[in-house]
């Protein structure tokens, strides 16, 4: 690395650089100014040349020379060409070296042109000296050389070939050339010397200006530095004074805060003697400063925590900082409170630890609140029993601590049998009071120490530790017996009962999750069987991986068009002709082939897939009915809707769009609904059925007679047809009560103006009996089993022949005949 130049050298270099810069700026300014001057001069000379050509030249040239007057005119206009370039350059590129040389050449040529136009009358030397003097304005001797070269070439050429244009005589003596050359050289030397002197003077002036500017800059820099130093000194002094004032204010404020703080703030030395005591400590602990300062900190400790004093002091001596250290302190009145302390060492000016400061706050109420929240988080707010969270914690602790040991246990899940009816009948307040009464009943039925928890709603769980299966079942029986006794709530005698699921440890699971899941399965099995209690076995649960996989496959089957419709015909007993068909859903499984509805209908209802399946059935059935009518087959289609479909507010609009899309008549479609579906939400069902009936769709009540409220709503619903349930038709020939019910339903339907259809007819004798009782049409295996669309089309075509229609009401097809077809969906969207 090169050593830096001394300050004097750096100043000289800066002066030289600045002087050179100023010199260049001055010269450029001079060049530009002289450029403008010569532009004006050249323009004036050109105009003067025109005047001379017009006025002087014709008289200047006499005799034979007067013949050149046209040439003079041409030369006059040549001046414009000479002037154009330098004038343009002085405008476009002022100050450039090339511009100066062009100006010099143009000035020489313009002078020669003027001498020529005036016939030599203009004094040549005077003209040359004047031009050289003007060029000297540039203060650039190189321009003089350019001018002199152009003049020499011009004089040499014209002095030889046209001397009269320069010297005014036809013959020139050699001494005239020497004379002209001498004058030019003399003028050049004089002017060049003058130019050099001007340049030196300009350099000197620029150097003086640079020195003055550098000196001025140095003075300004020094003034600024001195000013900054004074300002910095003043600022430092002001900051120092402000810091002292702030520290004093902080100390006073801290002392005020410490004294007025509600927190306990005390200090002690390394021997444990109290050295300071604030009002917060006085307020919380009850002692005044005079009562404690100078006494040992142990006076504030409960007897069982006296040893903590030495422990805390030792940790302070090791420069340890304690944050949120929870302990207890004894007040003056003898009460003990919970406190949270922050203990920090106190140092002297040399940094040595001389004591400790204690900053604490009373957390007694906080601890109580935390205990209350912990109890609320693990206990049921209504019954006071442990909740699901605490039961799972105990169950996880039990299974994890006993894993691999021979100790056994059991988990009981209890669900009340009629709690929902009690809530619906008497209200939730009544139900809550009942749940409170169950607390002592359940606790009294188990052993001391067994955990009884409310899981939510009317479900309870009991953890039995160290019991065998037989003892667990005995406890379950005691619980059932206790709950079998009627309970009086608000003067009302209630009989509730319960269902209990039992899962044994480790037989049915080695962890909490498995035991809970299997006890839950057993409990639901007990409810279904009305068995009181059920011990878990692997076959109880329907939630198998195979079933879950089947759900996914069924969803994909709906999307990919794997569903099929089979059609079961109905026959009009009066004519023997086709009365329509009912569409029944089948699933064409990719691996298992054609699956009957019993394999997937219940699964579809539980998973919500029954609704898209029902909509698909409607669309496919309407499309098939349209196809049959297009070929002349008058085949109406019946579709049985599920509960989900029946309570779909958009069903009517969806059906209208389907009929419009397929260009089908509403009367070709019959919607079959079960009593159960209607009675679930009767008002909503009535509203939707009325909208369907207004659309023109026929309404049929399926499985009539198996519900509980049919007669109450039959007169209000827009029904066109009732179907006698197969359970009554099956044994009517041998069961007088069944026969009576069938006849009653037929008479009731006719009295209400409804068509009556008997389903499940499996023999000709039953069909003939139904015809004799006036039943309108029949459906069953006596006609045909459900069949695919091509076979149904053949069956319908056969029933359209004149011979078939002429057979009358006594004609019924044998089981060997091909059946007629009607598209219909069962109550589970085609489950027959």
């Amino acid at each position: 690395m090169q050593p830096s130049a001394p300050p004097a050298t750096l100043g000289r270099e800066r002066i030289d650089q600045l002087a050179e810069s100023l010199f260049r700026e001055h010269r450029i300014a001079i060049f530009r100014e002289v450029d403008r001057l010569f532009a004006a001069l050249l323009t004036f000379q050109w105009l003067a040349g025109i005047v001379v050509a017009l006025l002087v030249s014709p008289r200047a040239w006499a005799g034979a020379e007067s013949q050149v007057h046209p040439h003079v005119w041409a030369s006059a206009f040549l001046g414009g060409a000479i002037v154009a370039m330098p004038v343009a350059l002085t405008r476009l590129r002022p100050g450039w070296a090339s511009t100066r040389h062009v100006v010099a050449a143009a000035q020489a040529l313009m002078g020669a042109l003027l001498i020529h136009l005036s016939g030599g009358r203009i004094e040549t030397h005077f003209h040359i000296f004047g031009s050289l003097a003007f060029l000297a304005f540039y203060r650039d001797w190189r321009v003089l050389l350019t001018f002199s070269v152009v003049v020499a070439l011009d004089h040499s050429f014209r002095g030889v070939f046209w001397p009269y244009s320069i010297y005014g005589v036809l013959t020139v003596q050699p001494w005239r050339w020497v004379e002209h050359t001498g004058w030019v050289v003399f003028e050049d030397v004089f002017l060049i010397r003058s130019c050099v002197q001007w340049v030196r003077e300009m350099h000197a002036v620029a150097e003086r200006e640079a020195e003055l500017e550098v000196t001025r800059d140095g003075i300004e820099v020094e003034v600024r530095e001195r000013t900054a130093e004074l300002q910095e000194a003043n600022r430092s002094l002001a900051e120092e004074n402000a810091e002292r004032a702030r520290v004093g204010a902080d100390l006073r404020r801290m002392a005020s805060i410490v004294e007025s703080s509600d927190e306990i703030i005390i200090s002690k030395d390394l021997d444990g003697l109290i050295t300071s005591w604030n009002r917060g400590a006085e307020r919380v602990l009850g002692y005044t400063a005079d009562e404690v300062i100078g006494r040992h900190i142990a006076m504030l400790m409960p007897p069982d925590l006296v040893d903590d004093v030495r422990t805390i002091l030792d940790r302070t001596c090791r420069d340890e900082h304690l944050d949120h250290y929870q302990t207890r302190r004894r007040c003056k009145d003898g009460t003990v409170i919970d406190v949270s302390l922050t203990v920090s060492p106190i140092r002297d000016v040399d940094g040595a630890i001389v004591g400790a400061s204690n900053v604490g706050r009373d957390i007694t109420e906080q601890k109580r609140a935390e205990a209350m929240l912990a109890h609320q988080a693990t206990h049921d707010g209504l019954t006071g029993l442990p909740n699901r969270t605490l039961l799972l914690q105990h169950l996880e602790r039990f299974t994890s601590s006993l894993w691999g040991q021979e100790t056994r246990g059991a988990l009981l899940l209890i669900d009340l049998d009629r709690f929902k009816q009690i809530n619906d009948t008497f209200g939730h307040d009544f139900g809550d009071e009942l749940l409170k009464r169950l607390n002592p009943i359940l606790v009294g039925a188990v052993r001391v120490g067994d955990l009884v928890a409310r899981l939510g709603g009317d479900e309870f769980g009991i953890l039995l530790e160290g019991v065998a299966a037989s003892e667990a079942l005995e406890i379950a029986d005691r619980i059932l017996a206790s709950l079998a006794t009627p309970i009086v709530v608000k003067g009302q005698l209630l009989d509730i009962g319960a269902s209990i699921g039992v899962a044994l440890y480790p037989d049915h699971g080695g962890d909490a999750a498995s035991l809970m899941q299997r006890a839950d399965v057993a409990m639901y099995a007990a409810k279904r069987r009305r068995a009181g209690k059920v011990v878990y076995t692997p076959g109880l649960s329907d939630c198998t991986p195979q079933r879950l996989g089947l759900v996914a496959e069924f969803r994909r089957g709906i999307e990919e068009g794997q569903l099929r419709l089979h059609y079961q015909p109905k026959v009009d007993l009066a004519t023997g002709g086709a009365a329509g068909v009912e569409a029944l859903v089948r699933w064409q499984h990719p691996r298992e082939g054609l699956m009957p509805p019993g394999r997937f209908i219940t699964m579809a209802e539980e998973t919500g897939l029954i609704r898209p399946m029902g909509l698909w059935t409607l669309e496919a059935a309407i499309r098939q009915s349209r196809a049959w009518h297009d070929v002349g087959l008058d085949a109406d289609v019946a579709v049985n809707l599920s509960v989900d479909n029946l309570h779909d507010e958009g069903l009517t609009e969806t059906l209208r769009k389907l009929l419009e899309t397929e260009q089908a008549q509403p009367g070709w479609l019959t919607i079959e609904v079960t009593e159960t579906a209607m009675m679930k939400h009767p008002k909503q069902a009535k509203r939707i059925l009325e909208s369907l009936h207004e659309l023109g769709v026929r309404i049929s009540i399926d499985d009539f007679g198996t519900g509980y409220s049919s007669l109450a709503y039959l007169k209000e619903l827009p029904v066109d047809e009732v179907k006698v349930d197969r359970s009554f038709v099956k044994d009517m020939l041998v069961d007088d009560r069944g026969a009576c019910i069938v006849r009653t339903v037929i008479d009731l339907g006719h009295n209400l103006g409804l068509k009556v259809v008997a389903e499940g007819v499996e023999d000709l004798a039953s069909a003939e009996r139904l015809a004799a009782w006036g039943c309108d049409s029949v459906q069953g295996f006596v006609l045909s089993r459900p069949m695919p669309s091509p076979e149904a089309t053949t069956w319908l075509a056969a029933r359209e022949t004149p011979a078939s229609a002429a057979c009358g009401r006594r004609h019924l097809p044998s089981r060997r005949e091909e059946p007629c077809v009607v598209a219909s969906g069962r109550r589970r969207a085609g489950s027959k």
Side-chain angles (χ1 to χ4, degrees), residues 135-192:
L135 288 175
F137 278 107
Y138 277 120
R139 301 183 186 181
D140 186 359
W141 60 270
R142 292 168 296 185
V143 178
L144 298 176
L145 295 181
T146 301
F147 181 83
S148 300
V149 169
V150 174
V151 170
L153 292 175
D154 176 69
H155 278 56
S156 298
F157 178 77
R158 286 195 296 134
V160 174
F161 297 101
W162 203 354
Y164 192 81
S165 64
I166 297 177
Y167 305 109
V169 295
L170 296 178
T171 302
V172 180
Q173 299 298 323
W175 66 269
R176 296 295 297 270
W177 296 346
V178 174
E179 177 190 3
H180 279 76
T181 301
W183 281 111
V184 170
V185 171
F186 171 76
E187 187 67 22
D188 282 347
V189 171
F190 178 79
L191 292 176
I192 289 174

Side-chain angles (χ1 to χ4, degrees), residues 429-493:
D429 292 341
F430 204 92
D432 291 345
E433 186 63 29
L434 172 62
L435 293 175
K436 294 178 184 179
R437 301 289 181 89
L438 292 179
N439 186 344
I441 295 175
L442 295 176
V443 173
V446 300
R447 304 170 305 168
V448 176
D450 290 335
L451 180 65
V452 180
R454 183 190 176 202
L455 305 183
D458 60 342
E459 290 189 12
F460 296 83
I462 299 177
L463 175 60
L464 305 175
E465 300 185 23
V467 298
S470 59
E471 189 175 0
L473 294 178
E474 290 178 3
I475 294 175
D477 288 334
R478 289 205 303 268
I479 294 172
L480 291 173
S482 300
L483 295 177
T485 303
I487 302 174
V488 179
V489 178
K490 296 182 179 180
Q492 185 73 34
L493 190 64

Side-chain angles (χ1 to χ4, degrees), residues 52-66:
V52 170
L54 292 173
L55 301 178
V56 178
S57 292
R59 294 192 298 271
W61 297 90
E65 297 296 337
S66 64

Side-chain angles (χ1 to χ4, degrees), residues 567-718:
Y567 303 91
Q568 188 172 34
K570 294 187 290 187
V571 169
D572 189 330
L573 292 177
T575 64
V581 294
E582 180 180 2
L584 307 171
V585 176
R586 304 291 186 265
W587 180 14
Q588 188 66 46
H589 194 276
R591 297 188 308 275
E592 302 185 22
L594 193 66
M595 294 176 60
R599 292 282 302 279
F600 58 85
I601 290 296
T602 301
M603 175 185 67
E605 290 176 335
E606 294 175 353
T607 58
L609 295 175
I610 193 71
R611 177 173 292 187
M613 188 187 75
L615 294 178
W616 178 89
T617 303
L618 277 172
E619 183 178 0
I622 293 173
R623 187 182 301 112
Q624 183 60 64
S625 178
R626 170 78 266 177
W628 281 332
H629 282 81
D630 287 344
V631 296
L633 299 177
D634 187 14
D636 296 340
V637 184
V639 175
N640 198 313
L641 291 184
S642 68
V643 175
D644 289 345
N645 289 116
L646 182 60
H647 297 125
D648 183 3
E649 295 291 346
L651 176 63
T652 304
E653 185 61 27
T654 300
L655 191 56
R656 177 185 289 107
K657 292 180 180 179
L658 289 175
L659 292 170
E660 291 176 355
T661 301
E662 300 298 334
Q663 296 182 349
Q665 298 298 323
W668 297 352
L669 179 66
T670 299
I671 297 296
E672 295 186 4
V673 294
T674 63
E675 295 180 59
T676 303
M678 290 189 299
M679 294 305 106
K680 188 172 183 180
H681 297 289
K683 293 183 180 180
Q684 184 179 8
K686 178 183 177 182
R687 184 174 66 256
I688 294 178
L689 290 177
E690 286 176 347
S691 65
L692 291 174
H693 196 265
E694 291 175 359
L695 183 63
V697 176
R698 294 172 55 82
I699 306 298
S700 173
I701 299 179
D702 197 11
D703 298 342
F704 186 80
T706 60
Y708 302 97
S709 304
S710 301
L711 297 179
Y713 287 94
L714 192 60
K715 65 178 181 178
E716 300 179 6
L717 295 175

Side-chain angles (χ1 to χ4, degrees), residues 56-122:
V56 178
S57 292
R59 294 192 298 271
W61 297 90
E65 297 296 337
S66 64
Q67 299 301 321
V68 301
H69 185 60
H71 174 69
V72 173
W73 275 99
S75 297
F77 289 104
L78 181 61
I82 295 172
V83 171
M85 180 176 290
V87 171
L89 289 177
T90 56
R91 301 287 294 178
L92 299 177
R93 298 170 62 179
W96 286 46
S98 57
T99 301
R100 294 194 297 276
H101 289 287
V102 170
V103 168
Q107 180 60 38
L109 294 175
M110 199 63 198
L113 180 62
L114 286 175
I115 294 172
H116 170 71
L117 292 176
S118 63
R121 294 189 180 188
I122 296 177

Side-chain angles (χ1 to χ4, degrees), residues 541-557:
S541 177
D542 292 333
C543 296
T544 62
Q546 293 78 11
R547 189 173 186 275
L548 293 177
L550 192 64
V551 171
E553 291 178 352
F554 186 64
R555 184 186 304 275
R556 187 168 59 251

Side-chain angles (χ1 to χ4, degrees), residues 100-352:
R100 294 194 297 276
H101 289 287
V102 170
V103 168
Q107 180 60 38
L109 294 175
M110 199 63 198
L113 180 62
L114 286 175
I115 294 172
H116 170 71
L117 292 176
S118 63
R121 294 189 180 188
I122 296 177
E123 176 57 43
T124 302
H125 302 304
F126 175 78
H127 172 71
I128 293 175
F129 293 158
S131 298
L132 291 176
F134 275 115
L135 288 175
F137 278 107
Y138 277 120
R139 301 183 186 181
D140 186 359
W141 60 270
R142 292 168 296 185
V143 178
L144 298 176
L145 295 181
T146 301
F147 181 83
S148 300
V149 169
V150 174
V151 170
L153 292 175
D154 176 69
H155 278 56
S156 298
F157 178 77
R158 286 195 296 134
V160 174
F161 297 101
W162 203 354
Y164 192 81
S165 64
I166 297 177
Y167 305 109
V169 295
L170 296 178
T171 302
V172 180
Q173 299 298 323
W175 66 269
R176 296 295 297 270
W177 296 346
V178 174
E179 177 190 3
H180 279 76
T181 301
W183 281 111
V184 170
V185 171
F186 171 76
E187 187 67 22
D188 282 347
V189 171
F190 178 79
L191 292 176
I192 289 174
R193 180 67 182 84
S194 177
C195 288
V196 171
Q197 183 63 31
W198 286 340
V199 170
R200 288 175 182 173
E201 292 176 357
M202 290 174 63
H203 270 294
V205 172
E207 186 173 350
R208 285 194 298 272
E209 291 180 359
E211 289 175 351
L212 291 174
E213 186 169 345
V214 170
T215 301
R216 184 176 60 252
D217 291 344
I219 293 172
E220 291 178 355
V221 171
E222 184 175 358
V223 170
R224 285 196 299 270
E225 291 177 352
R226 295 293 177 85
T227 303
E229 290 175 0
L230 291 175
Q231 292 175 347
E232 182 66 25
N234 292 334
R235 184 164 51 251
S236 299
L237 182 59
E239 290 177 354
E240 183 178 353
N241 293 333
E243 180 67 17
R244 290 176 180 175
R246 186 182 63 80
V247 170
D250 288 345
L251 290 176
R252 291 190 296 272
R253 186 168 54 255
M254 288 300 297
S256 176
I257 291 173
V258 168
E259 186 63 23
S260 61
S261 174
D262 290 336
E263 293 187 336
I264 303 169
I265 303 177
I266 62 178
S267 62
K268 58 183 179 292
D269 60 19
L270 295 180
D271 293 327
L273 300 180
I274 299 174
T275 56
S276 68
W277 184 269
N278 77 330
R279 291 181 184 177
E282 179 179 339
R283 182 185 59 80
V284 175
L285 298 175
Y287 293 99
T288 64
D290 294 337
E291 293 175 320
V292 296
I293 291 179
R295 300 181 62 182
H296 200 275
I297 192 68
M299 66 175 293
L300 305 176
M301 311 292 287
D304 59 332
L305 294 178
V306 173
D307 293 339
D308 281 1
V309 176
R310 189 69 259 168
T311 302
I312 294 175
L313 287 173
D314 290 342
R315 296 181 66 177
T316 302
C317 292
R318 294 195 298 269
D319 199 13
E320 293 187 22
H321 187 90
L322 303 181
D323 281 327
H324 307 296
Y325 178 75
Q326 294 190 6
T327 183
R328 288 173 291 143
R329 288 291 182 266
R330 185 177 58 188
C331 300
K332 184 177 180 179
D333 60 4
T335 59
V336 177
I337 63 172
D338 293 295
V339 295
S340 175
L341 292 180
T342 297
V343 183
S344 304
I346 298 177
R347 302 176 183 276
D348 60 13
V349 293
D350 298 325

